[in-house]
Each structure stands twice: as structure tokens, then as C-alpha cells.
């Protein structure tokens, strides 16, 4: 029996979310920005479990898939590892870096939802110490945003091992030059980007959409509330968006979408169905705060899918 395991290479992180009840603009003097020294009182603070690999795995596991995270975590990651075990997600591909902290994003938002962010990569920068060859038999792998060296290494390893690869550059795309991005595309079986990232990808590589699509089994471009497009086998499949119950927080929506893609690939579903599953997951996620606070069962997804699209998968 062919394995349905999906290897998920990407970041593990904690998100520290703070709320400032005033306006940043009231504390910043336009003529003094060259010597900023301000402090904001943040009465509320919450910690969210995040990181691309964890967000993707979280959704794929609830779908009934078999995610295997390959990532690095820091000396402070014990609670995260316990959380994975409680969810039934394997931790055998997660390497602890004892001299580093887990990657962390510190987000401070004001009452107008302006944000000041700081990101500490920590253990993520040691992602290259993991080896795809150690992960066993795999149906598909995704290289999602992670340490730069790790993304380069894991994509090359997948190509050498003949493992179908989805490349998802995300917010790490600016860290690669055109030659490196072309190498990623040539190694990949699938490529997933949002529309902004894809425009940047074309600009850096000098390749057009048809030229990129011709090198892949499938090119997936997401366009937020406008839906998404999948270019595969010489065809363009337009995937409609799903009406969300509420628009609360887009954090992790792209990761939920990619979990749907991986699920469809592991089950050999057609692209229109795969894209619609992915779209539905994104709509479910956006109605909840944080990347891993929504929940569903495989049966609930099937029912919502039929209600939204008129057929079962």
C-alpha cells in the first residue's frame, strides 16, 4: 500500500500578541524619528502556537491525513512537543536546538490595528541540520517558510530522492535571488504562492506564468477573497472562495489552504476538488483567532464541502 505521509518542512514558532489601547501615531514625533525611544503599555498579552509547519500539520491531521513535521525547535519548546503528542502528530522529525530559543514573533497592535512586529528566528536558522533521507517513505513533501539554508537543502534533498515536492516560499521569498528561485522551481513538482508573492517571483526570475507552469505538475496561485487558480496539465482551474462565517484573523489561512492541497495530493484527488477542499479550510480558519484554534472533523468537512459545492469528495 502506498504511503500517504506528507513531510512538512517549515518553521515552528510562538507568536506573542500584545494590544496597545492607544495610537502609535500619538507617541511618535515626526521630527524625532531618527532617535525613537518610546514605550507602550500593553494590558493584554497572549501566546499562540504558530509556525508554518505546525499550522499545516494541524489542519492536515484534522482532515485525516498523515503529517510528519520536519523542523527545529528551541530549548523552550517542551510544551509545543507535548501539544503535538496530544494531537497525535509525530515529533520524530523535530530536532531540539538546546542553545537556541524557538522562533518567536512579537506583535504589538494599536487600536487602529497598526502593527509593530519583531521576529526572532532562533532555532529556525538550524533547519539545515535535518535530513529528508532520515524521514522514511513519503508520498509528498512541502518546503514552506523556514531557515534559508534549510529550505535550500530540503528542496535539493527531495529532488535527489525523487519525492514529489511542493515549494511554498511565502514570506521568505525575498531572501532568495532569481537563480535560487529558478532552482526551486526546477526541483519542485508543485508551487503554491499568493498573488503578491507570485508577482515577486516572476519579477526576480524573469519567467512568465506560462513558463513557470510548464515546469511544474501544478501551479497554485491564491487571491484571497477572489479565490484561487490552479494551472495543471495545460488547464486553468478556477477555484471559488468559500463564504466565511466571520473574518477574524487571516493568520494561518495560507497554511490551512496548503493542508488541503496536500490532502488532495495524497489521495490522488482531481485538482478542482483538491482546490475546493483547500479553499474551504481557509474559510474555516479565518473565522478564528490564531493559526491553530479552529477545529473540525473529517465528516464535518465533507458535509460543509457538499453544502458549498454541491457534491461529495
Amino acid at each position: 500500500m502506498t504511503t500517504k505521509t506528507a513531510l512538512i518542512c517549515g518553521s515552528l514558532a510562538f507568536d506573542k500578541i500584545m494590544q496597545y489601547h492607544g495610537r502609535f501615531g500619538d507617541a511618535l514625533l515626526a521630527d524625532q524619528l531618527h532617535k525613537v525611544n518610546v514605550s507602550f503599555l500593553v494590558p493584554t498579552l497572549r501566546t499562540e502556537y504558530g509556525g508554518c509547519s505546525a499550522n499545516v500539520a494541524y489542519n492536515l491531521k484534522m482532515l485525516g491525513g498523515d503529517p510528519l513535521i520536519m523542523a527545529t525547535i528551541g530549548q523552550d519548546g517542551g510544551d509545543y512537543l507535548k501539544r503535538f503528542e496530544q494531537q497525535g502528530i509525530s515529533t520524530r522529525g523535530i530536532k531540539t536546538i538546546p542553545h537556541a530559543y524557538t522562533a518567536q514573533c512579537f506583535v504589538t497592535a494599536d487600536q487602529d490595528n497598526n502593527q509593530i512586529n519583531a521576529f526572532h528566528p532562533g532555532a529556525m536558522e538550524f533547519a539545515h541540520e535535518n535530513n529528508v533521507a532520515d524521514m522514511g517513505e513519503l508520498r509528498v513533501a512541502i518546503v514552506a517558510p523556514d531557515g534559508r539554508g534549510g529550505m535550500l537543502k530540503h528542496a535539493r534533498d527531495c529532488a535527489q530522492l525523487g519525492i514529489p515536492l511542493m515549494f511554498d516560499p511565502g514570506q521568505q521569498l525575498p531572501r532568495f535571488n532569481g537563480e535560487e528561485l529558478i532552482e526551486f522551481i526546477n526541483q519542485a513538482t508543485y508551487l503554491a504562492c499568493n498573488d503578491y508573492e507570485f508577482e515577486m517571483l516572476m519579477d526576480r526570475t524573469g519567467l512568465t506564468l506560462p513558463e513557470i507552469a510548464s515546469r511544474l505538475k501544478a501551479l497554485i496561485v491564491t487571491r484571497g477573497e477572489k479565490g484561487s487558480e490552479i494551472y495543471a496539465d495545460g488547464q486553468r482551474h478556477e477555484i471559488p472562495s468559500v463564504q466565511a462565517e466571520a473574518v477574524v484573523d487571516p493568520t494561518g489561512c495560507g497554511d490551512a489552504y496548503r493542508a488541503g492541497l496536500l490532502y488532495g495530493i495524497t489521495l490522488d484527488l482531481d485538482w478542482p476538488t483538491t482546490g475546493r477542499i483547500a479553499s474551504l479550510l481557509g474559510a474555516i480558519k479565518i473565522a478564528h483567532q490564531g493559526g491553530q484554534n479552529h477545529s473540525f472533523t473529517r465528516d464535518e468537512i465533507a458535509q460543509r464541502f457538499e453544502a458549498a459545492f454541491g457534491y461529495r469528495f
Side-chain angles (χ1 to χ4, degrees), residues 9-313:
C9 309
S11 61
L12 291 175
F14 295 120
D15 297 329
K16 308 286 187 177
I17 315 296
M18 293 161 279
Q19 185 67 49
Y20 172 53
H21 290 175
R23 291 183 171 88
F24 293 143
D26 295 338
L28 298 173
L29 302 176
D31 61 344
Q32 298 295 316
L33 294 181
H34 63 289
K35 54 176 182 180
V36 174
N37 184 3
V38 295
S39 176
F40 301 104
L41 177 66
V42 288
T44 60
L45 166 67
R46 73 175 193 276
T47 299
E48 297 283 1
Y49 292 97
C52 296
S53 66
N55 292 342
V56 173
Y58 179 80
N59 286 277
L60 184 55
K61 184 66 177 181
M62 288 191 292
L63 273 174
D66 183 23
L68 175 60
I69 295 173
M70 190 173 78
T72 46
I73 202 165
Q75 58 183 274
D76 54 344
D79 287 344
Y80 217 152
L81 295 175
K82 290 179 183 177
R83 175 180 169 85
F84 287 135
E85 292 170 359
Q86 292 167 353
Q87 295 168 341
I89 296 175
S90 174
T91 60
R92 69 180 178 86
I94 300 175
K95 180 181 179 67
T96 297
I97 308 299
H99 55 80
Y101 290 106
T102 301
Q104 299 187 46
C105 185
F106 300 87
V107 181
T108 303
D110 71 4
Q111 66 182 40
D112 295 326
N113 209 32
N114 297 307
Q115 292 186 355
I116 297 175
N117 297 345
F119 183 72
H120 172 66
M124 189 182 82
E125 292 295 89
F126 297 87
H128 59 276
E129 295 187 7
N130 281 324
N131 297 301
V132 175
D134 297 336
M135 297 298 108
E137 188 178 356
L138 305 166
R139 170 64 180 84
V140 65
I142 182 172
V143 170
D146 203 354
R148 184 182 187 280
M151 293 178 72
L152 289 165
K153 180 178 184 293
H154 300 153
R156 289 169 183 159
D157 288 350
C158 286
Q160 291 172 1
L161 294 167
I163 299 168
L165 169 66
M166 179 178 294
F167 177 48
D168 170 25
Q171 66 267 33
Q172 291 290 67
L173 194 153
R175 299 188 69 183
F176 301 104
N177 60 36
E179 183 178 335
E180 291 167 331
L181 290 169
I182 289 174
E183 182 182 16
F184 276 123
I185 293 169
N186 291 339
Q187 292 165 341
T189 313
Y190 319 99
L191 171 65
C193 290
N194 64 33
D195 48 0
Y196 178 82
E197 293 161 355
F198 190 68
E199 290 294 330
M200 183 184 296
L201 183 72
M202 289 192 292
D203 180 68
R204 291 210 168 186
T205 62
L207 299 175
T208 65
L209 188 153
E211 288 171 335
I212 293 173
S214 69
R215 302 185 184 200
L216 302 160
K217 188 171 182 178
L219 165 64
I220 303 100
V221 181
T222 62
R223 303 188 183 279
E225 70 277 5
K226 296 179 181 178
S228 52
E229 300 161 355
I230 299 179
Y231 300 84
D233 304 319
Q235 295 181 296
R236 174 184 176 275
H237 304 284
E238 187 168 345
I239 309 299
S241 61
V242 177
Q243 182 67 42
E245 294 179 353
V247 177
V248 176
D249 180 11
T251 304
C253 286
D255 297 327
Y257 185 101
R258 282 146 182 77
L261 295 177
L262 293 173
Y263 182 74
I265 290 168
T266 58
L267 293 184
D268 297 315
L269 301 179
D270 61 71
W271 284 110
T273 299
T274 297
R276 283 166 169 78
I277 294 172
S279 182
L280 176 58
L281 261 62
I284 291 172
K285 206 308 314 159
I286 203 170
H288 298 80
Q289 193 80 48
Q292 300 175 35
N293 292 321
H294 57 296
S295 63
F296 54 79
T297 65
R298 170 63 174 73
D299 288 342
E300 288 170 345
I301 285 292
Q303 292 169 6
R304 294 188 62 168
F305 183 95
E306 185 175 17
F309 302 114
Y311 71 98
R312 298 185 70 87
F313 67 88

